[in-house]
Amino acid sequence: MNEKRKVILVGTGFVGMSMAYSFLSTGGIDELVLIDVNTEKAEGEAMDLQHGLPYANGKLTIKSGDYSECKDASIVVITAGVTMKEGETRLDIAAKDTKIIKSVTESIMASGFDGIIVVASNPVDSMTYVAQKVSGLPKERVIGSGTLLDTARLRFLMSQYLNISSSNIHAYIMGEHGDSSFVPWTNAYVGSKNLLEFVDEKGKDFNDLLDIYTQVQQAGYEIIKRKRSTYYGIGLSLNRLVRAILDDENVVLTVSVYQEGQYGQEGLYIGVPAVVNRNGVREVIKLELNEVDQAKFDASCETLNHINKEISKYL
């Protein structure tokens, strides 16, 4: 990846623009280019953000553009896709978004792009799979947002429940970014103490943890029921991932990563903890899953493999 801190955003809907707006507060990039099939919307969004630059954190250039801008970019973030409606699952929109992601990825690669692609379009694990297949980029340089947001939701709710800072809640949501995700509770910690031991010592009920997971799993649906879509949480999650790449952080994040047997599965993208740096995914962190959790992971993979098989006819 080149040394420029230039980021391309493809898709100026609520998710993409939540990420874009967040960079005015956090800084961390030098240039942001907005691309959308609706060019006037991209222009308007760029203008709106530009007017906030005098109050932004650091020096930043923002503009709208076309796919030729991807040639010298470090990262392209794809948020383009159809909006999930109430009653739909992430699986319902797979066919529609496959066609969009295929077209977008072809346009990105036609520019001569040779950086890292980050995918947030749903269903994100399958759309990341599509982007990698179409782009031909090394698998470690195509990354999905995976269960990054799910994990943030888990840590937030756990923090409230335990009255412990979320920065000291070390727990992950793994699997599909969707209904078949799960928490490997035996691999969760409060500080350096096993979470299950901590909860037991505090006299709390393990069923409370199961209720928290249910809240995490249903969070997207509950938000959509109330405000039609979710975007702030995923926007900030994408900001975190982009900065982790550009800053060469070697940080562990639960992103959608290509599987090559680390958890007994191969040939698909799915959410697992992985080390992320300037080269993309450095390595997958291998947790020791018990039989129950391994079965959940396998079931999640089966769900995704079914989707990937169905959408392969569009590739």
Side-chain angles (χ1 to χ4, degrees):
M1 186 174 70
N2 63 54
E3 296 301 313
K4 295 189 69 172
R5 300 175 74 89
K6 177 179 179 181
V7 176
I8 307 293
L9 169 64
V10 181
T12 59
F14 286 128
V15 170
M17 293 315 301
S18 294
M19 182 201 76
Y21 176 71
S22 72
F23 277 114
L24 273 69
S25 295
T26 65
I29 64 175
D30 298 326
E31 184 176 357
L32 177 64
V33 181
L34 310 181
I35 299 175
D36 198 284
V37 65
N38 184 340
T39 56
E40 285 197 351
K41 185 176 189 303
E43 291 170 359
E45 295 287 7
M47 291 170 64
D48 201 3
L49 290 177
Q50 288 167 353
H51 299 162
L53 288 177
Y55 307 118
N57 182 1
K59 186 177 180 181
L60 171 62
T61 299
I62 300 174
K63 63 181 181 180
S64 61
D66 57 33
Y67 285 102
S68 64
E69 291 282 355
C70 298
K71 182 176 183 179
D72 62 345
S74 296
I75 300 173
V76 174
V77 180
I78 304 175
T79 64
V82 297
T83 300
M84 185 169 68
K85 299 180 177 64
E86 184 177 349
E88 283 187 322
T89 69
R90 293 177 177 85
L91 312 185
D92 293 329
I93 58 177
K96 298 176 185 177
D97 273 354
T98 295
K99 298 174 184 177
I100 294 172
I101 300 307
K102 181 176 185 290
S103 175
V104 165
T105 304
E106 289 172 341
S107 298
I108 292 168
M109 299 310 297
S111 73
F113 175 73
D114 191 34
I116 293 173
I117 293 179
V118 171
V119 181
S121 307
N122 278 319
V124 67
D125 304 290
S126 293
M127 294 307 103
T128 308
Y129 174 84
V130 170
Q132 194 282 319
K133 289 294 184 183
V134 175
S135 70
L137 287 172
K139 297 174 179 65
E140 66 272 14
R141 288 204 275 131
V142 182
I143 310 170
S145 55
T147 51
L148 198 55
L149 174 57
D150 310 74
T151 295
R153 287 167 170 164
L154 174 67
R155 291 178 176 175
F156 167 72
L157 292 171
M158 290 295 298
S159 174
Q160 287 195 316
Y161 175 65
L162 298 173
N163 195 26
I164 297 285
S165 170
S166 59
S167 64
N168 295 123
I169 305 294
H170 306 296
Y172 303 111
I173 296 282
M174 291 179 60
E176 170 209 6
H177 173 57
D179 296 338
S180 65
S181 65
F182 68 99
V183 183
W185 293 111
T186 57
N187 289 283
Y189 295 85
V190 176
S192 58
K193 188 173 184 65
N194 182 275
L195 172 67
L196 297 181
E197 293 179 8
F198 184 87
V199 168
D200 185 60
E201 289 177 3
K202 296 296 181 181
K204 295 182 179 295
D205 192 336
F206 178 70
N207 287 324
D208 293 342
L209 301 183
L210 300 182
D211 288 341
I212 286 173
Y213 165 70
T214 299
Q215 291 180 57
V216 172
Q217 184 199 50
Q218 294 297 310
Y221 302 122
E222 291 299 321
I223 294 171
I224 289 168
K225 184 188 302 182
R226 291 164 173 79
K227 54 174 281 189
R228 297 188 178 181
S229 59
T230 70
Y231 35 90
Y232 296 132
I234 185 59
L236 285 166
S237 299
L238 290 170
N239 177 304
R240 180 70 189 93
L241 177 53
V242 167
R243 287 186 293 117
I245 295 169
L246 293 177
D247 292 341
D248 198 27
E249 289 189 30
N250 290 298
V251 64
V252 177
L253 298 172
T254 48
V255 288
S256 191
V257 179
Y258 192 78
Q259 295 300 292
E260 297 180 291
Q262 296 93 339
Y263 287 92
Q265 297 283 343
E266 297 181 351
L268 76 160
Y269 276 83
I270 196 167
V272 296
V275 180
V276 177
N277 64 16
R278 194 166 178 79
N279 296 315
V281 173
R282 192 188 80 188
E283 63 181 291
V284 170
I285 298 295
K286 177 68 171 69
L287 302 180
E288 292 300 323
L289 301 182
N290 59 30
E291 290 185 7
V292 172
D293 289 339
Q294 184 65 54
K296 290 178 179 178
F297 186 80
D298 292 341
S300 199
C301 289
E302 184 178 348
T303 296
L304 290 172
N305 278 326
H306 174 71
I307 299 170
N308 293 346
K309 182 178 180 181
E310 289 296 313
I311 63 177
S312 63
K313 58 189 172 186
Y314 301 109
L315 299 182

